[in-house]
Amino acid sequence: MIASLAAKSLWARKVTVGLTIASITISIFVLLAIQHIRVEAKTNFTNTVSGVDLIVGARTGQINLLLYSVFRIGNATNNIRWDSYQALASSKAVAWTIPISLGDSHRGFRVLGTTGSYFEHFQYANKRSLTFAQGRPFTGTFEAVLGHEVAARLGYKIGDKITLTHGISANSFSEHKHNPFTIVGILDATGTPVDQTVHVRLDGIDATHKGWQSGVDLSKYTHVSKDQNLTPSSITAFMVGLNSKLSTFTYQRKVNEFKKEALLAILPGIALSDLWRMMGTVENILTFISWLVLGAALIGLTTMMLAAMRERRHEFMVLRAVGSSPLFIFTLIQIESLIVVSMSICLAALLLSSGLWLAQSSMVSQFGLTISPAVLTGDALVPILLILGVTVVVSFLPAISAYGESRR
């Protein structure tokens, strides 16, 4: 009964209440968006690679190496010579390696040159291996395996032919059109950058660049034969699995002190922690600002409720005349505040879910992030309960004012 009475009272002041709900909705939208995107981005990054002991690349910052080698964000500062890779990969401490070569693209999606060990050893999300939705791993020089998102968005199927583009721009004019690749496999969805990647063999990458001189495509004058040596001269980076975790730091020191070339070996978990620590400051500032905005909106709610006290004096008198106690009126004001904020929370969640659903494709293609539109998860429960708790506190002032008015 009291909730119904509170709803009718709010409806009687729908214009003022509507504007208040709008201002609180925007504040909660910002707060929930920061919270949800932070959690989802962290889950995305954490699940991207698993079971890799070390990542080796040209000497640079460890976060930069992690970003371009695993998340396909940014570019390498330099390559690793093939003989350096072979020397380090042949160490007794190494169980397996996954060489990767980046630099080309296909219609905006990154192309990754690698070997068959990628499909054998690469794992994500707590040691889950890659699986095929259709087809098989590549075996020929001009065969390609597509990530799930690439195949779905471009409508490719097994047997289709694709060409690679020099560079990572979606609008590049430097297309390797004389060496097309045949799609032989499509991977299952992983929710990681693998879904937005075109995988080809390392010798395929080398073959497409035969005949290129000083950035000019002369490949139509160059014939690539089956017997031709297509061993790459360099790779971008490689992932390492060791025989024993105990040798991790020994092997890392060996790479970092490698005399033939300036290289860097990083532990993915530590590099990821550094990344979150760096992002933590920005995240805390944004969260602080969103709470300030929400605080201002809740003060606006209190002001609206207090301003209405004089107008509602007759309403309180009628309630008292029909037997309502001052405590009933006190509770009525509290419930009205909670209804306003609860409606704002629902609207903010609905707007955020809709926005994330509409922006999902853009976020996947631009940032390689898969942000779920399901906003009301367990992680959102704490801020929502805090918002409701703060609402009860700030609405004490108008509730006490109404209590006093009803006792006169």
Side-chain angles (χ1 to χ4, degrees):
M1 176 191 170
I2 191 167
S4 171
L5 186 62
K8 287 177 180 173
S9 175
L10 288 171
W11 181 251
R13 293 170 283 128
K14 48 185 174 292
V15 176
T16 314
V17 172
L19 290 173
T20 306
I21 287 175
S23 65
I24 298 174
T25 298
I26 293 169
S27 311
I28 296 175
F29 175 89
V30 175
L31 187 66
L32 290 181
I34 292 171
Q35 169 76 10
H36 185 68
I37 292 173
R38 178 183 65 84
V39 172
E40 286 287 306
K42 190 175 281 190
T43 304
N44 266 257
F45 275 63
T46 306
N47 287 342
T48 296
V49 65
S50 174
V52 173
D53 293 313
L54 289 163
I55 298 173
V56 180
R59 196 162 292 172
T60 179
Q62 64 172 351
I63 292 176
N64 184 46
L65 174 55
L66 180 76
L67 289 177
Y68 73 70
S69 63
V70 177
F71 303 108
R72 323 279 193 263
I73 298 173
N75 294 299
T77 54
N78 207 347
N79 282 340
I80 304 174
R81 292 202 310 268
W82 183 251
D83 59 335
S84 299
Y85 160 67
Q86 285 189 310
L88 291 168
S90 61
S91 169
K92 290 181 180 177
V94 176
W96 51 264
T97 60
I98 301 174
I100 59 175
S101 181
L102 300 165
D104 286 342
S105 63
H106 173 71
R107 296 176 63 180
F109 291 99
R110 286 275 192 145
V111 172
L112 177 79
T114 185
T115 63
S117 63
Y118 180 82
F119 303 106
E120 187 178 351
H121 297 295
F122 185 85
Q123 295 177 319
Y124 67 99
N126 200 16
K127 298 191 175 181
R128 293 180 62 184
S129 297
L130 297 175
T131 54
F132 279 79
Q134 300 175 48
R136 57 173 174 78
F138 47 60
T139 54
T141 302
F142 292 107
E143 292 183 343
V145 173
L146 304 186
H148 180 82
E149 184 71 21
V150 181
R153 288 189 59 194
L154 302 181
Y156 287 137
K157 59 184 183 301
I158 301 296
D160 286 350
K161 290 190 180 297
I162 60 171
T163 55
L164 309 188
T165 302
H166 199 62
I168 58 173
S169 170
N171 300 314
S172 173
F173 295 104
S174 304
E175 186 178 4
H176 301 293
K177 56 186 176 184
H178 301 294
N179 294 301
F181 287 75
T182 303
I183 299 169
V184 297
I186 296 172
L187 295 170
D188 280 318
T190 63
T192 71
V194 172
D195 295 347
Q196 297 97 46
T197 304
V198 176
H199 307 84
V200 299
R201 282 176 35 147
L202 280 177
D203 55 1
I205 292 282
D206 200 58
T208 56
H209 291 87
K210 291 289 182 188
W212 279 70
Q213 294 181 11
S214 303
V216 179
D217 183 13
L218 301 175
S219 56
K220 62 181 177 181
Y221 305 110
T222 305
H223 174 65
V224 179
S225 69
K226 290 183 179 178
D227 301 327
Q228 191 168 346
N229 180 17
L230 295 174
T231 303
S233 58
S234 64
I235 56 174
T236 306
F238 63 96
M239 299 177 183
V240 181
L242 298 171
N243 288 312
S244 169
K245 303 292 182 190
L246 296 175
S247 60
T248 301
F249 294 108
T250 304
Y251 187 79
Q252 185 184 28
R253 188 166 57 251
K254 178 180 179 179
V255 173
N256 292 342
E257 294 175 353
F258 193 64
K259 292 183 178 176
K260 294 181 180 177
E261 196 173 359
L263 299 177
L264 174 69
I266 62 166
L267 282 76
I270 291 178
L272 203 54
S273 299
D274 282 353
L275 177 64
W276 290 129
R277 200 160 33 248
M278 190 177 71
M279 297 293 293
T281 306
V282 179
E283 181 188 312
N284 290 336
I285 291 172
L286 288 175
T287 305
F288 179 68
I289 291 172
S290 62
W291 275 108
L292 280 181
V293 174
L294 178 64
L298 290 177
I299 289 172
L301 169 68
T302 307
T303 306
M304 184 271 289
M305 302 289 272
L306 280 171
M309 284 301 123
R310 187 178 296 277
E311 300 170 10
R312 300 181 67 184
R313 185 174 296 168
H314 294 294
E315 178 186 339
F316 297 147
M317 289 173 64
V318 171
L319 287 172
R320 290 284 287 151
V322 297
S324 299
S325 66
L327 183 60
F328 178 89
I329 294 172
F330 177 91
T331 309
L332 177 70
I333 300 298
Q334 288 279 3
I335 290 176
E336 285 181 6
S337 301
L338 287 172
I339 288 174
V340 168
V341 174
S342 298
M343 288 179 69
S344 300
I345 291 171
C346 293
L347 279 172
L350 183 64
L351 287 172
L352 183 57
S353 293
S354 304
L356 290 173
W357 182 76
L358 290 172
Q360 210 163 27
S361 297
S362 300
M363 285 192 289
V364 166
S365 59
Q366 297 291 322
F367 308 109
L369 290 176
T370 306
I371 306 293
S372 169
V375 175
L376 295 178
T377 60
D379 294 308
L381 192 61
V382 173
I384 287 174
L385 289 176
L386 274 172
I387 291 168
L388 292 173
V390 172
T391 303
V392 171
V393 172
V394 298
S395 61
F396 251 80
L397 194 58
I400 289 173
S401 175
Y403 181 87
E405 287 285 341
S406 64
R407 287 176 62 88
R408 291 179 185 174

